[in-house]
Amino acid sequence: SQIGLLLPTSLCSGQIARLIADRLDVKLGGPNSVLSRIVALPHTEGCGVSSGISEAMYARTMLGYLTHPLVKFGLLLEHGCEKTHNDYMANQLERMGCDPQSFGWASVQLDGGIDAVTAKADAWFANALADTAAPVYEPCGLHALRLGLLTTGPVSPDIAETFAHLTHAIAGSGGTIVLPETSALLSSPDFRDQVLTTPSVTPSLAYGQVADTPGLHVMETPTEHWVETP
């Protein structure tokens, strides 16, 4: 099942997005809806975010959530004074090859405050759902899987070999596997010798980048912190 997502473009609109999402989930989400639930993604970024690599990582990460296959409808909510406002996000979507008109857009300041922007979000999701038929479910194979493999601490040979078999099965069937470049699997001979064709590993994805092609990918990971692993 798919979800509805309210994506705040900065810290400043995060709690408002959460309040709106909680309200919408009661009204429009659930087992009898096209959307299993409606959620927000509050975060601590966007307001005064620095330029360069930090800004690029933030944009890729946020828009990766927005364009995830599990998101049926996504609405971006700006506060109005942040650097990464709605126009910024729309430009980033266009660079990714996505149509900004496929998403909803709202602004706490420009739309007239919390009550007004809540009403706008309510109307946008209600209209989107009114024009959408119930989903049709059908079986699919391993080619439809997109799986991230995360490990913490040392990896035993048996576990490394199991992950190697899993990677072969999914990637070999046309699915997608993503590993962080700090993964202990990449330094385990029991994984490397079965999966990799070269002794050195170069990331094929930037931090937060969406994998556009199937197969095995290694994602750039600046830190080893579990929470910051994409």
Side-chain angles (χ1 to χ4, degrees):
S1 59
Q2 293 179 293
I3 66 169
L5 175 65
L6 271 89
L7 182 67
T9 64
S10 69
L11 162 71
C12 305
S13 56
Q15 292 307 311
I16 299 172
R18 182 183 60 80
L19 291 172
I20 295 174
D22 289 347
R23 168 193 171 101
L24 285 172
D25 189 46
V26 173
K27 292 176 58 178
L28 302 175
N32 298 320
S33 171
V34 172
L35 303 177
S36 61
R37 57 197 176 115
I38 299 175
V39 299
L41 188 62
H43 54 82
T44 60
E45 308 302 318
C47 186
V49 65
S50 60
S51 59
I53 188 172
S54 297
E55 182 180 306
M57 289 169 60
Y58 162 73
R60 283 197 304 266
T61 302
M62 291 297 103
L63 297 182
Y65 283 114
L66 183 68
T67 57
H68 193 281
L70 287 180
V71 176
K72 179 68 174 178
F73 301 120
L75 181 144
L76 294 93
L77 177 65
E78 69 172 14
H79 187 270
C81 57
E82 60 267 67
K83 181 177 181 180
T84 53
H85 44 63
N86 279 348
D87 284 346
Y88 171 88
M89 290 298 191
N91 288 333
Q92 294 299 315
L93 282 168
E94 289 179 340
R95 290 183 181 181
M96 293 172 58
C98 299
D99 181 6
Q101 297 304 313
S102 300
F103 305 96
W105 303 88
S107 173
V108 177
Q109 292 183 349
L110 291 179
D111 290 323
I114 295 176
D115 290 342
V117 81
T118 298
K120 182 176 182 178
D122 281 3
W124 186 85
F125 274 98
N127 289 337
L129 284 167
D131 296 333
T132 303
V136 176
Y137 297 97
E138 58 184 35
C140 61
L142 294 178
H143 68 277
L145 282 180
R146 299 180 180 184
L147 189 64
L149 297 185
L150 297 178
T151 61
T152 181
V155 176
S156 70
D158 287 343
I159 291 178
E161 186 173 357
T162 299
F163 275 125
H165 291 318
L166 179 66
T167 299
H168 269 299
I170 295 176
S173 299
T176 302
I177 295 284
V178 179
L179 287 169
E181 66 174 323
T182 55
S183 174
L185 290 172
L186 295 175
S187 59
S188 169
D190 298 278
F191 182 86
R192 291 176 59 100
D193 294 347
Q194 295 192 50
V195 174
L196 303 179
T197 58
T198 59
S200 60
V201 178
T202 301
S204 56
L205 297 174
Y207 183 91
Q209 182 181 354
V210 176
D212 293 326
T213 57
L216 173 62
H217 290 276
V218 176
M219 181 173 286
E220 175 188 26
T221 312
T223 76
E224 295 185 359
H225 195 287
W226 180 262
V227 175
E228 295 177 347
T229 301

